[in-house]
Amino acid sequence: MKKRKRQKEIPGGIAKVPFDDEWHTYGRILNFGDLAIYDLKTQEDITDLDYIISRPILFKSIVNDNGVKRGKYPIIGIIALETSLENSKYYFGPSPGNEDYGIYENGNLRKAISKEECIGLPVGAVWDPDHISERLKDHYAGVEYKFMKYLDPLG
């Protein structure tokens, strides 16, 4: 097995995100471990970074070190983050075993005022690249990713 080169997670970095033997998309590093995943299912290597970031964002997620840092998602370039993405450090997380939800703001956790306050925020869980792959495969197959319903605050 080929050893992957370690990479530095630089905000604005654009990484190739494989999710199938044939297909990939691209993600943008928001913070350390946070990615915005673009809607760009392709088999071709795209080098036009402006085109990549012009695509809609499918979802934002925290990805463990196996993604960018350990090189499963190779960085292909860097474009400074737009202000709207610089400030996207909010996530929600259900508290296991009870009805409370927390909101992570810039790394600090506070209790959500209501479940409704969590709607539209990405899940504050750390996903393995394999889970990101499954989520992308399900998205492009037109089916709901099985874990998302469980994590839905209004589920």
Side-chain angles (χ1 to χ4, degrees), residues 1 12 30 32 34 38 41 43 48 53 56-57 71 74 79-80 87 91-92 94 97 109 116-117 124 142 149:
M1 185 164 116
L30 303 176
F32 301 98
D34 300 18
Y38 290 99
K41 179 182 178 183
Q43 293 175 314
D48 183 346
I53 68 169
I57 294 173
I79 295 181
N87 298 320
Y91 294 89
F92 85 91
L109 178 64
E116 289 77 13
E117 185 182 12
K149 186 67 177 169

Side-chain angles (χ1 to χ4, degrees), residues 110-126:
R110 69 169 172 82
K111 185 176 177 180
I113 296 168
S114 66
K115 288 183 180 182
E116 289 77 13
E117 185 182 12
C118 300
I119 294 173
L121 294 177
V123 177
V126 179

Side-chain angles (χ1 to χ4, degrees), residues 38-55:
Y38 290 99
D39 189 0
L40 183 58
K41 179 182 178 183
T42 184
Q43 293 175 314
E44 298 177 27
D45 288 336
I46 297 175
T47 58
D48 183 346
L49 303 181
D50 288 319
Y51 175 71
I52 293 169
I53 68 169
S54 75
R55 306 296 301 156

Side-chain angles (χ1 to χ4, degrees), residues 127-147:
W127 297 88
D128 183 83
D130 291 341
H131 294 130
I132 298 295
S133 293
E134 289 175 21
R135 189 170 174 188
L136 286 165
K137 286 179 200 176
D138 285 353
H139 169 77
Y140 288 114
V143 297
E144 183 178 33
Y145 181 53
K146 60 187 173 189
F147 293 117

Side-chain angles (χ1 to χ4, degrees), residues 4 7 9 15-20 23-25 33 35 37 59 61-74 125-138 145 147:
R4 295 186 191 112
Q7 304 177 113
E9 297 171 312
K16 181 178 176 179
V17 179
F19 62 89
D20 193 309
W23 300 98
H24 65 273
T25 188
L35 291 178
I37 305 292
F59 59 89
S61 184
I62 303 169
V63 182
N64 74 17
D65 286 354
N66 290 326
V68 175
K69 192 179 277 186
R70 293 194 182 140
K72 183 164 187 171
Y73 299 162
V126 179
W127 297 88
D128 183 83
D130 291 341
H131 294 130
I132 298 295
S133 293
E134 289 175 21
R135 189 170 174 188
L136 286 165
K137 286 179 200 176
D138 285 353
Y145 181 53
F147 293 117

